[in-house]
């Protein structure tokens, strides 16, 4: 594939521009630059700003997409590599929720990526402040509980059909599910209760003694529960099943013998005395954590996390924590353990040999830790109202890689969070003091969808729901995709010429109308077309200008369409106006209702190309047009001679140029505007023929 297809790209356009002269234009000094985004090694052909204005995405010919913190101008993530694009990235677009990014490239694919956002993708209300969370062994449902003693089960991870379980007379301190469909809970009322996981019916309850509980864990196979108490003991409890079978383990506890106890057990709400089958002294402290197979127990003791053999109750090894030990967790395979201490350090050990693999600062002491079920990722609940996610890739016997301990995402909470647990799909649940459980998604660095096309994908655009993605392809077809299914709902032959021969005209831009009912396509053939998204029918065509006949005089009052390929288009907020930019160097304003040109934006420093016509808008191709948030101004951008860029601001009302100048950051290939209209993001090509690196630049909106 040729590097510069259809002469659209920066190097080719710059060669054309090198022969042009711009009377009176001067390079604008970079005093308005807010930040320069460095990292791409080739032309930046696409830029976009997230709906909340916190993130900027840039797509480059270097086959990568980079995500940037808009406020700090720092890089957040790079999307690329073996599963990324294998060609130049031509388009990027955020969905309305701001949690997904779509991209289109010359490798004939559109891809959808997760974004490392800080907000929950779902919240669940409860009746009281929350202390704990547990996930079913199949990873689909979860339960939360807290200060008011109420347990709430969310079947299949949804609020619909939620079940409340009441029985504890104080706060619930811990929860755990078993593979045999039981939910166990331990409370400040010094009881352990057993519930049916599917419908929440109480099965049994027993007292743990007269000492307060300070920790709780469950053997997932359903045979054992573990409590830690204020006396420094960990007690092992056989899990009772149907209440009528409870008598045997507790015969010696009732004067009336087994028969009396069995009768008592059948009474609704009965709480029986419990008899642990083992008790081991572990020392003062809080918390007990079971390995995935429950063959090991971990307890914070002083400045160490101590491992105990659950089979014989013997102490095995200790893992040093940073300061006073607070929390620990093991990977699903039991091979690694993460520990957190009061100094805010997280340490990762090999469990078998107890050797330290690596450590990193968490930013605050961790209250709870949880490993991702598949990936080398750790979640930490911190005591600063934040939940953090870190990369914990490490190989025993080798130095930790640079990404070890790198924060992947942070999730602020309005009140202190208390616990976290992973669902089977890799999302995780947190509990917090504000009576909310929250579900978060960890953004993968690999595409979550890859949508195949028969040719280059020049443009991508989301509808308002974030469920549909429109793509414009080099084969002249507009496709509307159901993103969840990864299937095209419609394929529209938008710019395919059939007479006198079959010609596929590339679609360079696709734009949804503000109500997401229609889609505009802008093409190499010089036209734009509006399509009904539901039916796929043509609504209106914004026609290209007819070729002038030899000797024909141009009527200066006759407004016509573009004379060359249309690269960019944008709707006003009310959907009544349409702006477009073209390689004919003009910016035009259209009436959407009639499909007619309202005005050309003539540059007072340039001469008309054809006698009698308005002057062009730019000294070179117009690569991007955008309305200001209030629709009063129109911003246009593109390359200029001598490897420069050109940026202009126009009055929508009368077409006058309010600002216009060359810039020396390199030919401008892409443009975005922040939601408040205060800043512009420019995607540029390299500054000289000899350079390859390219920059995106954040600048102040001219006139602001």
């Amino acid at each position: 594939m040729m590097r510069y297809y259809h002469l659209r790209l920066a190097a080719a356009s710059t060669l054309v521009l090198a022969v042009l002269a711009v009377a009176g234009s001067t390079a604008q000094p970079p005093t308005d630059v807010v930040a320069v985004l460095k990292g791409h090694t080739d032309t930046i052909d696409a830029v976009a700003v997230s709906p909340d204005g916190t993130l900027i995405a840039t797509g480059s010919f270097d086959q990568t997409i980079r995500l940037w913190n808009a406020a700090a101008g720092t890089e957040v993530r790079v999307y690329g590599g073996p599963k990324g694009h294998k060609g130049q990235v031509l388009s990027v677009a955020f969905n309305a929720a701001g949690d997904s990014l779509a991209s289109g490239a010359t490798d004939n694919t559109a891809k959808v990526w997760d974004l490392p956002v800080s907000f929950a993708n779902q919240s669940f209300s409860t009746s009281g402040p929350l202390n704990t969370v547990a996930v079913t062994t199949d990873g689909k449902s979860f339960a939360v509980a807290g200060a008011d003693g109420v347990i709430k089960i969310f079947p299949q991870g949804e609020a619909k059909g939620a079940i409340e379980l009441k029985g504890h007379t104080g706060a619930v301190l811990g929860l755990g599910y078993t593979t045999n469909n039981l939910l166990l809970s331990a409370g400040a009322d010094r009881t352990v209760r057993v519930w049916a996981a599917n419908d929440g019916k109480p099965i049994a309850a027993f007292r743990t003694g007269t000492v307060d509980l300070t920790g709780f864990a469950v053997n997932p196979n359903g045979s054992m529960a573990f409590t830690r108490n204020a006396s420094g003991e960990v007690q092992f409890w056989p899990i009772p099943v149907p209440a009528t079978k409870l008598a045997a383990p507790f015969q010696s506890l009732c004067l009336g013998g087994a028969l009396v106890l069995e009768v008592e057990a059948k009474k609704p709400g009965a709480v029986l005395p419990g008899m642990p089958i083992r008790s081991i002294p572990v020392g003062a402290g809080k918390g007990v954590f079971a390995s995935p197979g429950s063959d090991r127990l971990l307890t914070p003791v002083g400045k160490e996390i101590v491992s105990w053999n659950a089979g014989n109750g013997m102490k095995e090894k200790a893992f040093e924590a940073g300061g006073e030990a607070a929390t620990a967790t093991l990977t699903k395979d039991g091979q690694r353990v993460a520990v957190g201490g009061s100094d805010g350090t997280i340490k990762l050990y090999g469990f078998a040999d107890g050797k330290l693999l690596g450590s990193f600062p968490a930013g605050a002491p961790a209250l709870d830790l949880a490993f991702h079920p598949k990936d080398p990722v750790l979640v930490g609940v911190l005591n600063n109202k934040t939940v953090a996610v870190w990369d914990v890739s490490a190989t025993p016997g080798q130095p930790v890689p640079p990404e070890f301990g790198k924060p992947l995402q942070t999730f602020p909470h309005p009140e202190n969070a208390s616990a976290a647990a992973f669902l089977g799909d890799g999302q995780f649940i947190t509990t917090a003091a504000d009576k909310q459980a929250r579900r978060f998604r960890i953004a993968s660095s690999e595409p979550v969808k890859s949508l195949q096309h028969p040719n280059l994908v020049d443009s991508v655009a989301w509808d308002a729901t974030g469920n549909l993605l429109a793509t414009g392809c080099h084969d002249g077809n507009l496709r509307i995709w159901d993103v969840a299914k990864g299937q095209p709902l419609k394929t529209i032959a938008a710019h395919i010429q059939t007479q006198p021969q079959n010609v596929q005209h590339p679609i360079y831009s696709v734009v949804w109308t503000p109500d997401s009912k229609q889609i505009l396509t802008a093409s190499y053939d010089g036209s734009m077309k509006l399509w009904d998204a539901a039916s796929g029918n043509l609504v209106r065509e914004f026609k290209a200008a007819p070729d002038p006949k030899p000797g024909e005089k141009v009527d200066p009052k006759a407004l016509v369409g573009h004379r060359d390929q249309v690269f960019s288009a944008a709707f006003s907020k009310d959907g009544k106006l349409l702006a477009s930019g073209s390689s004919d160097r003009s910016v035009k304003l259209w009436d959407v209702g009639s499909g007619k040109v309202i005005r050309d934006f003539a540059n007072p420093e340039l001469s008309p190309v054809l006698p009698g016509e308005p002057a062009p808008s730019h000294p070179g191709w117009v690569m991007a047009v955008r309305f200001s948030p209030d629709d009063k101004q129109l911003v246009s951008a593109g390359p200029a001679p001598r490897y420069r860029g050109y940026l202009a601001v126009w009055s929508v009302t009368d077409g006058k140029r309010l600002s216009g100048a060359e810039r020396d950051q390199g030919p401008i290939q892409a443009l975005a505007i922040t939601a408040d209209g205060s800043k512009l993001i420019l995607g540029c090509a390299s500054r000289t023929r000899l350079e390859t690196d390219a920059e995106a630049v954040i600048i102040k909106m001219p006139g602001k």
Side-chain angles (χ1 to χ4, degrees):
M1 176 177 294
M2 291 183 62
R3 174 177 171 77
Y4 298 115
Y5 67 94
H6 260 293
L7 296 180
R8 180 185 173 211
L9 307 180
S13 64
T14 305
L15 290 174
V16 174
L17 293 171
V19 301
L20 299 175
V22 186
S25 290
T26 57
Q28 183 172 324
T31 56
D32 58 351
V33 172
V34 176
V36 178
L37 311 181
K38 295 178 177 289
H40 284 296
T41 58
D42 209 335
T43 296
I44 298 171
D45 204 47
V47 296
V49 184
S50 63
D52 64 2
T54 61
L55 297 173
I56 294 171
T58 55
S60 171
F61 290 177
D62 65 11
Q63 303 183 7
T64 69
I65 299 158
R66 292 177 186 262
L67 200 64
W68 311 83
N69 180 299
T74 54
E75 186 178 280
V76 175
R77 179 169 293 190
V78 179
Y79 299 100
K83 295 187 179 180
H85 283 296
K86 300 299 188 296
Q88 300 155 346
V89 180
L90 307 177
S91 181
V92 291
F94 289 93
N95 68 344
D99 59 3
S100 291
L101 181 74
S103 59
T106 61
D107 61 359
N108 301 357
T109 67
K111 296 184 185 295
V112 179
W113 312 81
D114 278 340
L115 292 175
V117 297
S118 61
F119 52 84
N121 61 343
Q122 193 167 352
S123 295
F124 307 85
S125 297
T126 60
S127 55
L130 295 175
N131 299 328
T132 184
V133 57
V135 175
T136 53
T137 54
D138 65 6
K140 295 180 179 179
S141 301
F142 68 92
V144 297
D148 64 356
V150 178
I151 302 168
K152 197 165 185 177
I153 297 176
F154 295 93
Q156 302 302 306
E158 298 297 334
K160 184 178 180 180
I163 307 167
E164 286 193 349
L165 317 183
K166 297 180 180 180
H168 285 287
T169 57
V172 177
L173 305 178
L175 294 170
Y177 278 100
T178 68
T179 54
N180 55 344
N181 208 31
L182 298 177
L183 172 65
L184 278 71
S185 60
D189 58 3
R190 304 168 185 167
T191 68
V192 171
R193 296 173 185 268
V194 185
W195 317 80
N198 55 348
D199 57 14
K201 290 183 178 179
I203 294 175
F206 59 89
R207 289 187 292 274
T208 60
T210 60
V211 183
D212 289 342
L213 300 182
T214 61
F216 181 65
V218 173
N219 185 334
N221 69 14
S223 64
M224 195 75 61
F226 311 97
T227 59
R228 185 177 185 177
N229 62 33
S231 295
E233 296 177 313
V234 170
Q235 295 178 309
F236 294 48
W237 306 92
I239 298 176
V241 275
T244 54
K245 297 181 180 179
L246 286 173
F250 308 121
Q251 289 183 36
S252 62
L253 302 178
C254 263
L255 295 176
L259 181 61
V260 174
L261 189 58
E262 184 170 337
V263 172
E264 289 296 314
K266 292 181 180 180
K267 294 181 179 180
V271 181
L272 303 174
M275 176 74 71
I277 61 174
R278 177 177 291 120
S279 180
I280 58 175
V282 298
K286 294 182 179 180
V288 58
F289 311 95
S291 64
S294 294
D295 54 338
R296 300 291 186 272
L297 297 176
L298 301 177
T299 59
V301 180
K303 296 184 178 182
E304 295 178 331
I305 298 291
V306 180
S307 170
W308 307 85
N309 186 303
N312 57 27
M314 299 298 293
K315 178 179 178 180
E316 293 184 327
K317 58 176 67 74
F319 305 94
E320 181 186 352
E324 291 296 314
T327 184
T329 187
L330 289 107
T331 52
K332 190 174 182 179
D333 61 7
Q335 297 301 305
R336 298 182 184 187
V337 57
V339 303
S342 59
D343 71 346
T345 299
I346 304 295
K347 296 186 177 184
L348 188 71
Y349 292 90
F351 187 80
D353 59 13
K355 290 184 178 179
L356 179 68
L357 297 176
S359 65
F360 58 89
L367 305 175
D368 193 30
L369 296 170
F371 276 111
H372 190 284
K374 298 178 182 178
D375 301 331
V377 171
L378 180 70
V379 164
V381 177
L382 306 180
N383 74 347
N384 60 358
K385 301 182 181 180
T386 301
V387 175
V389 181
W390 304 283
D391 184 315
V392 288
S393 304
T395 301
Q398 297 183 14
V400 294
E403 61 269 21
F404 180 82
K406 179 181 178 181
L408 299 177
Q409 284 173 261
T410 57
F411 304 92
H413 286 59
E415 299 291 340
N416 278 327
S418 52
F422 274 97
L423 297 166
D425 61 3
Q427 298 186 75
F428 66 92
I429 303 293
T430 66
T431 55
D434 64 348
K435 305 180 182 180
Q436 292 281 324
R438 294 172 173 84
R439 182 164 64 200
F440 294 98
R441 182 173 68 183
I442 298 175
S444 171
S445 59
E446 299 178 355
V448 295
K449 296 287 180 182
S450 188
L451 312 176
Q452 296 297 319
H453 291 68
N455 211 318
L456 286 65
V457 181
D458 295 87
S459 184
V460 293
W462 295 92
D463 78 334
T465 69
N467 298 320
L468 301 180
L469 184 72
T471 59
C473 185
H474 231 56
D475 67 356
N477 284 293
L478 165 67
R479 292 172 174 84
I480 304 173
W481 300 80
D482 181 320
V483 175
K485 296 179 180 178
Q487 298 293 329
L489 297 176
K490 280 189 171 51
T491 300
I492 302 168
H495 294 270
I496 298 178
Q497 176 184 321
T498 58
Q499 295 295 332
Q501 59 184 355
N502 190 287
V503 180
Q504 297 176 337
H505 295 296
I507 299 173
Y508 288 144
S509 182
V510 291
V511 188
W512 291 84
T513 54
D515 61 7
S516 288
K517 293 181 179 179
Q518 298 171 339
I519 309 170
L520 182 89
T521 56
S523 173
Y524 173 82
D525 63 15
S527 75
M528 297 180 290
K529 296 179 181 180
L530 192 62
W531 306 90
D532 181 82
S535 66
N537 294 331
L538 179 65
V539 176
R540 188 163 294 109
E541 182 175 1
F542 303 84
K543 295 182 179 180
D547 292 331
K549 296 177 181 179
E552 181 182 17
K553 292 184 178 180
V554 177
D555 181 358
K557 295 182 180 180
L559 297 174
V560 296
H562 289 292
R563 296 194 181 277
D564 208 344
Q565 47 201 340
V566 183
F567 290 142
S568 180
F571 285 104
S572 60
K573 282 186 176 179
D574 60 9
K576 295 180 179 180
L577 298 178
L578 172 67
S580 58
S582 166
S583 57
D584 66 5
R585 301 194 286 148
S586 72
V587 176
K588 295 181 182 289
L589 188 69
W590 305 73
D591 175 67
V592 175
S594 66
K596 303 296 184 182
V597 177
I598 296 174
R599 70 173 47 88
D600 290 280
F601 294 87
N603 192 323
E605 298 176 346
L606 301 175
S607 300
V609 176
L610 296 174
E613 278 199 345
S617 310
H618 276 224
W621 293 356
V622 182
M623 304 303 296
V625 291
R626 297 288 184 269
F627 282 97
S628 62
D630 60 7
D631 285 340
K632 293 181 179 180
Q633 297 174 343
L634 187 67
V635 184
S636 59
R642 299 174 294 276
Y643 291 92
R644 289 181 171 178
Y646 187 81
L647 180 70
V649 180
W650 313 85
S651 168
V652 173
T653 303
D654 56 19
K656 291 183 179 180
R657 190 184 67 163
L658 304 176
S659 172
E662 291 185 20
R663 301 188 64 89
D664 63 0
Q665 282 92 9
I668 302 173
Q669 297 294 111
L671 166 70
I673 303 179
T674 56
D676 62 2
S678 65
K679 298 180 184 68
L680 304 178
I681 298 90
L682 310 178
C684 304
S686 56
R687 299 178 188 228
T688 71
R689 187 192 300 272
L690 301 177
E691 293 181 50
T692 57
D693 291 358
E695 301 170 348
V697 186
I698 305 174
I699 68 170
K700 298 174 184 177
M701 178 77 165
K704 295 290 187 180

